[in-house]
Amino acid sequence: MRIVLLGPPGSGKGTQAIRLAKQLGIPQLSTGDMLRAAVPAGTLIGAKAKEIMERGELVPDQLVVAIVAERILEADAKYGFILDGFPRTIAQAAALDDILRAAGLRLDSVLELDVDEAALLGRILNRAKEATANGHARADDTEAALRVRLEEYRGQTKPLSDYYRERGILKRVDGLQPIDKVASSLLEAIASQARRCARTAASSSP
Ligand code: ADP
């Protein structure tokens, strides 16, 4: 299965993507993790991305698309993947379509975690406090950067819901349920989409 997980910062996307990936036996591909890994590695990409990420802004489409294009064609992603944090703009979604189409593939499912915005700021600032106590704070988990991240989400990423809804592959799940309940709702959404795909395939075969 080729899955995209959408949701605002603080919606629990990363946690759920890791769980889903384990359950389904496919890799979780997080562009945030890839970009953060590029920073200490001292790569050119890392140098460009570092300051942009710290401000909470989006890294240029071209750069992220290049990373993803390479990653999703690696051997471990051959039978599927969960994209976490990508696409984040309509241009990225269109680029993803092109990459998949060129490889004769397509997305099976887009899952959106629905979370009340008022809950997000509190959640992230809490995560930041815990991470600081454990010595691995993220540079963009400050209140100022979070406000920019939410703004970017509203302006650039939220329109992806309509983009995928129009294609009939979007499912929304209530992200404010307990973690286990969100996980089971996501699995149920994927299963119902898989059943729909199977029916479509059966009805279009001669
Ligand atoms: P969040 O918890 O805010 O969703 P992520 O780990 O997904 O965090 O992303 C952290 C930062 O990495 C983003 O604020 C952005 O600067 C950069 N980033 C990650 N994915 C993308 C992307 N697809 N396009 C542009 N920038 C990205």
Side-chain angles (χ1 to χ4, degrees):
M1 298 257 331
R2 292 175 185 84
I3 299 168
V4 163
L5 195 54
L6 292 177
S11 60
K13 220 172 359 111
T15 307
Q16 295 295 339
I18 291 169
R19 290 175 71 131
L20 269 180
K22 267 201 197 122
Q23 295 231 8
L24 301 173
I26 50 181
Q28 170 233 7
L29 311 180
S30 153
T31 42
D33 287 349
M34 292 179 211
L35 290 167
R36 278 186 291 276
V39 173
T43 59
L44 189 61
I45 289 180
K48 275 199 201 166
K50 183 175 184 289
E51 289 185 4
I52 299 176
M53 288 197 298
E54 281 178 4
R55 288 196 298 269
E57 293 165 10
L58 292 184
V59 169
D61 288 335
Q62 230 186 338
L63 200 156
V64 190
V65 167
I67 299 183
V68 171
E70 243 180 55
R71 184 63 188 89
I72 59 179
L73 297 178
E74 282 177 26
D76 66 334
K78 192 169 174 194
Y79 299 109
F81 49 74
I82 297 172
L83 278 170
D84 161 11
F86 182 94
R88 252 182 165 91
T89 64
I90 296 280
Q92 292 179 14
L96 176 62
D97 288 339
D98 289 345
I99 296 163
L100 291 174
R101 198 178 306 115
L105 305 169
R106 63 179 167 72
L107 280 181
D108 298 298
S109 181
V110 177
L111 306 165
E112 181 179 28
L113 288 176
D114 196 12
V115 178
D116 170 39
E117 276 211 17
L120 298 174
L121 197 66
R123 267 201 191 186
I124 296 215
L125 293 176
N126 243 341
R127 175 172 86 186
K129 228 191 280 164
E130 280 167 24
T132 306
N134 297 328
H136 49 74
R138 254 174 65 171
D140 62 348
D141 270 353
T142 61
E143 188 158 349
L146 175 65
R147 288 192 191 282
V148 177
R149 280 156 64 199
L150 284 173
E151 201 60 40
E152 293 278 34
Y153 179 78
R154 257 180 247 128
Q156 310 266 13
T157 311
K158 193 64 189 131
L160 291 178
S161 306
D162 286 338
Y163 180 89
Y164 288 122
R165 186 178 297 112
E166 280 159 20
R167 290 188 16 197
I169 54 173
L170 182 81
K171 286 263 181 188
R172 297 176 79 192
V173 163
D174 176 4
L176 285 180
Q177 306 172 96
I179 290 183
D180 285 343
K181 186 72 187 50
V182 176
S184 57
S185 304
L186 288 171
L187 278 174
E188 174 46 39
I190 292 170
S192 86
Q193 231 141 9
R195 284 193 295 272
R196 209 185 53 128
C197 285
R199 274 200 304 274
T200 315
S203 65
S204 63
S205 63

